[in-house]
Amino acid sequence: MSNNFMFNMRTVILSGEDSINDIPAQLAARGAHRVLLLSDIGLESVGLVNKLIGVFENNMQVELVGVYTDIKADASCDDINNAVQYANKVKADSIVALGGGSVIDASKGIKYSLEHKLDDIREAIRGGGRIDVGSHVKPFTIPHIGVPTTAGTGAEASPIAVFFNDVEQVKASLVVSGLECDLAVLDPKLTLGLPVPLTVSTAMDALTHAIEAASSPMSNAFTDAYAIQASRLILDNLPKVVANPNNIKARTELLQASTMAISAFYSSLGGIPIHNCAHAFGAIAHIPHGDANSVLLPVVIELCRNSICQVLISSLVFLSCLIRLLQRKSIVKLYCHYVLSKNK
C-alpha cells in the first residue's frame, strides 16, 4: 500500500429512486442550455429512452435538442464520430448519457472530440490509446451527466474510456483528467428490467474492479475503503437481486458498489492483469467484458495467489470477502446457469 498518492473523486453522485427527475436542474446549474441525450436502440426499445425524454418535458431550464441512439455495444470509433457530427448539427452544448459502459464510454469520446474539435477520435488514440493526466490538463467545459442502466462498469465515475479502434483492431483506452461525468445519477428503477444473466455479468465486472484495486501495489487507504465496501455490497446484494430482480434496495446498493469499485480501481491503477486480458479477448473475439472478467478472475487469483495474499494479508475484512466468494456456491451456480442459458 502506498502513502504517496492522489485520490480524486471528481464525479458528484446523486442516488435514489426517481433521481433522474433532477437532471434538468442539475444541467442548468452547470450552465447547460442545449442538451443531447445519448443512448442505444436496446434501451430505446424497452422504453427507458422515452422515460428520460419525459423528464425534459415541461421544464423551463434546459432544452433537449436531440436524441442519438445509434451507439452499439462495444462502441467503435465510427459510432463516436457519427455522434459528434450529430451533436454539431443540433448545436448541443451538453451531454446526458443513458446506458451501460459502451454508451457512457462513447459519451466520453464524444465529449473529448467536441472539446478538442476532432472529426475523428482515432486522432487521439493512435497506437492503442492516450494518457493525459495531471494538473496541466485543461478542464472540460461541456456539462456531462451519466445515467447508468447496469451496475458493473462504473463508467460514469471513471476518467477512462475504452472503445474499439476498427482500423488498428484494438480496444483503445482514452485516459484524461476530467473525462469522467460531472454527475452520476444512480436511479435503481432504471435497472429493474435488467435480465438476471446480464446483472450477474456486470456485477462480476464491478467485483473484478474491486479485487484488482485492493490487490494493487498502488492501492492506498482511500482506495482500500472503497474496494472493500464495494466487494461487501456486491457479495451481499447480488444473490438478493438474482432471487428477486425487483429488489429495489439491493439494486440500489449494486449501483453504489459499481461506482465505488471503479473509483478504487482507477485511483490505484497498476498491472490489472484480469482487465488487460479481458480487453484483449474483447477486441479479438468481442466477448462481453463482464463475461471475460468472470472467467479470468479465478484463474488470475490462482496464478498470482502468492503476491495477492502478500498484498491483502493486512486486510482481514477483504480476505473474508474473498473467502465468502470462493465458498458461495450460489455465485458459481448462477454464472454456470448464465453461460448455459446463452449457449441454448
Side-chain angles (χ1 to χ4, degrees), residues 31-91:
H33 300 284
R34 300 176 60 83
V35 183
L36 171 62
L37 172 58
L38 300 168
S39 192
D40 59 45
I41 56 174
L43 294 177
E44 187 174 37
S45 68
V46 298
L48 289 187
V49 172
N50 281 337
K51 183 179 180 69
L52 193 50
I53 290 173
V55 169
F56 289 90
E57 294 176 356
N58 302 320
N59 95 89
M60 304 297 292
Q61 298 163 301
V62 294
E63 179 185 2
L64 183 64
V65 296
V67 179
Y68 188 87
T69 59
D70 198 18
I71 297 175
K72 303 175 183 65
D74 221 6
S76 70
C77 293
D78 283 338
D79 291 327
I80 292 166
N81 294 338
N82 292 336
V84 169
Q85 290 180 10
Y86 180 79
N88 286 324
K89 178 182 176 182
V90 298
K91 296 181 172 58

Side-chain angles (χ1 to χ4, degrees), residues 12 28 64-65 75 77 93 106 117 181 225 270 314:
V12 175
L64 183 64
V65 296
C77 293
D93 65 10
K117 296 181 170 50
C181 300
S314 62

Side-chain angles (χ1 to χ4, degrees), residues 36 40 53 62 68 113 120 126 133 137 243 266 306 312-313:
L36 171 62
D40 59 45
I53 290 173
V62 294
Y68 188 87
S113 294
D120 189 347
R126 287 196 183 99
V133 297
V137 178
Y266 80 74
N306 291 333
L312 296 180
I313 197 66

